[in-house]
Amino acid sequence: MRQELKSLPKTLADDVARNLVMVARLLDTEPEEAYQFSRVALRLASRVAAVREAAGFASYMTQRYSEALTEFRAARRMTGRADLWPVMADCERGLGRPERALAMAGEPEVKQLDKAGQVEMRLVSAGARSDMEQFDAAVVTLQSPELASSAVHPWTARLRYAYGEALIAAGRGDEARDWFAKAAEADTDGTTNAAERLAEIDGVEFVDALDPEMAEEESEQADAPAKKRGGEASDDRVIFEDEEDVEEYYDEDDLEIDEEFDGVVPARATEAKHEAKDEAKADAEAKGDARS
């Protein structure tokens, strides 16, 4: 890229270079901002292949597939390289033309790709098959020596993950778990969500302990056993709600309170106790009057 920029006046080359650096820095995290920087670079140096390629990737990452395809074609004409062929085919998929992507997979340019490019072309072809609901064909497309190899390459995790997804789409979910596990094992950089897909299949649910809403919900669930419906007690103690319960629980003479009771005496039992005291007092007074 630096070599290509030497064709420009130095001041202009520096300005273009700064914009291209920002495209590279922001492409994965802030693709819209990266796109804006790429448009500036494109306006300054549209005849530089590296600029057209960078603008193509920025458009691709923001799903502007028509613009991306235009820029990639321009870059390819300028350089004569075939390394952009898979991403160009994927742009055709993005434009709703999977049959064109499949046609590109059979072109001579594919033979000019290195191993990583050929794997990428397989991924695009399988995706195009899935777009056309040819799910079994997508599975077959991904079956290759690269998939069967135990060696780990930069594209290994993505290839295994795509194969697992293709198996699920083809109704072979029982086979997919092993491939998601293999993808997660190879995915040391987190380029796929293979670990999450594996957990989903196994029925494992991840909870964010820092999420305040989840923390509040867990707190409510923890308190639920202690708050039973209808105002009932949280332990084995009995709270009497009608007169029959009171009469069954208390003796009519001494009204002894059960040791496990919480100390709250029902109203009728208290009144009965007061009435018994009043009767005893009245009897005592009557006896005193009789003696006198």
Side-chain angles (χ1 to χ4, degrees):
M1 188 177 291
R2 186 185 297 273
Q3 185 65 31
E4 290 184 28
L5 291 178
K6 287 184 177 180
S7 62
L8 303 174
K10 188 177 186 313
T11 302
L12 179 59
D14 288 344
D15 290 341
V16 174
R18 290 189 184 96
N19 283 280
L20 293 179
V21 167
M22 294 306 298
V23 172
R25 287 182 178 178
L26 298 171
L27 194 59
D28 291 330
T29 57
E30 300 290 341
E32 279 294 339
E33 291 189 30
Y35 174 78
Q36 298 303 324
F37 281 106
S38 74
R39 304 313 290 181
V40 174
L42 188 62
R43 188 169 63 252
L44 295 174
S46 61
R47 295 185 180 182
V48 176
V51 173
R52 303 301 291 265
E53 182 175 337
F57 277 110
S59 298
Y60 176 79
M61 291 294 288
T62 55
Q63 300 183 8
R64 295 176 170 91
Y65 297 116
S66 181
E67 289 184 20
L69 192 55
T70 298
E71 301 306 331
F72 287 141
R73 285 172 175 168
R76 184 171 176 273
R77 284 196 302 270
M78 293 177 181
T79 63
R81 304 196 316 267
D83 55 318
L84 294 174
W85 198 252
V87 71
M88 290 170 62
D90 206 36
C91 285
E92 295 287 4
R93 284 187 60 211
L95 291 170
R97 303 189 294 239
E99 66 284 350
R100 292 194 184 183
L102 286 176
M104 291 178 67
E107 294 293 331
E109 285 81 356
V110 177
K111 296 181 179 179
Q112 302 176 29
L113 299 172
D114 59 11
K115 182 64 68 176
Q118 291 177 2
V119 171
E120 196 67 35
M121 197 69 234
R122 280 187 179 275
L123 291 171
V124 174
S125 299
R129 292 288 186 188
S130 295
D131 293 343
M132 300 169 67
E133 298 186 357
Q134 299 175 3
F135 303 118
D136 291 328
V139 171
V140 174
T141 299
L142 293 171
Q143 292 173 346
S144 61
E146 293 80 17
L147 180 66
S149 175
S150 59
V152 176
H153 301 279
W155 36 261
T156 300
R158 293 178 58 238
L159 180 59
R160 294 175 178 176
Y161 182 89
Y163 190 62
E165 290 285 13
L167 288 171
I168 289 179
R172 297 162 59 181
D174 54 334
E175 301 175 48
R177 186 196 179 283
D178 291 340
W179 287 101
F180 284 125
K182 292 178 180 179
E185 181 181 355
D187 192 4
T188 56
D189 297 329
T191 55
T192 72
N193 65 336
E196 287 80 359
R197 294 290 280 116
L198 183 61
E200 180 183 343
I201 292 174
D202 290 343
V204 178
E205 182 178 356
F206 293 97
V207 177
D208 186 357
L210 300 180
D211 187 346
E213 293 184 1
M214 293 298 297
E216 182 178 354
E217 182 177 346
E218 289 182 0
S219 177
E220 292 176 355
Q221 292 176 354
D223 293 341
K227 298 178 180 178
K228 298 188 177 181
R229 292 176 298 177
E232 296 179 0
S234 60
D235 52 19
D236 295 330
R237 295 178 298 177
V238 179
I239 301 298
F240 299 102
E241 297 181 352
D242 54 42
E243 296 178 356
E244 292 182 359
D245 290 337
V246 174
E247 291 175 356
E248 290 179 4
Y249 196 85
Y250 291 99
D251 186 270
E252 292 182 357
D253 294 331
D254 54 15
L255 299 175
E256 291 181 356
I257 300 175
D258 187 85
E259 292 179 355
E260 295 182 356
F261 188 59
D262 62 0
V264 179
V265 181
R268 178 167 178 177
T270 304
E271 292 174 0
K273 188 173 182 179
H274 288 318
E275 289 175 1
K277 289 182 177 180
D278 292 340
E279 289 177 1
K281 184 177 180 182
D283 291 341
E285 291 177 353
K287 290 178 182 179
D289 292 339
R291 290 194 188 98
S292 62

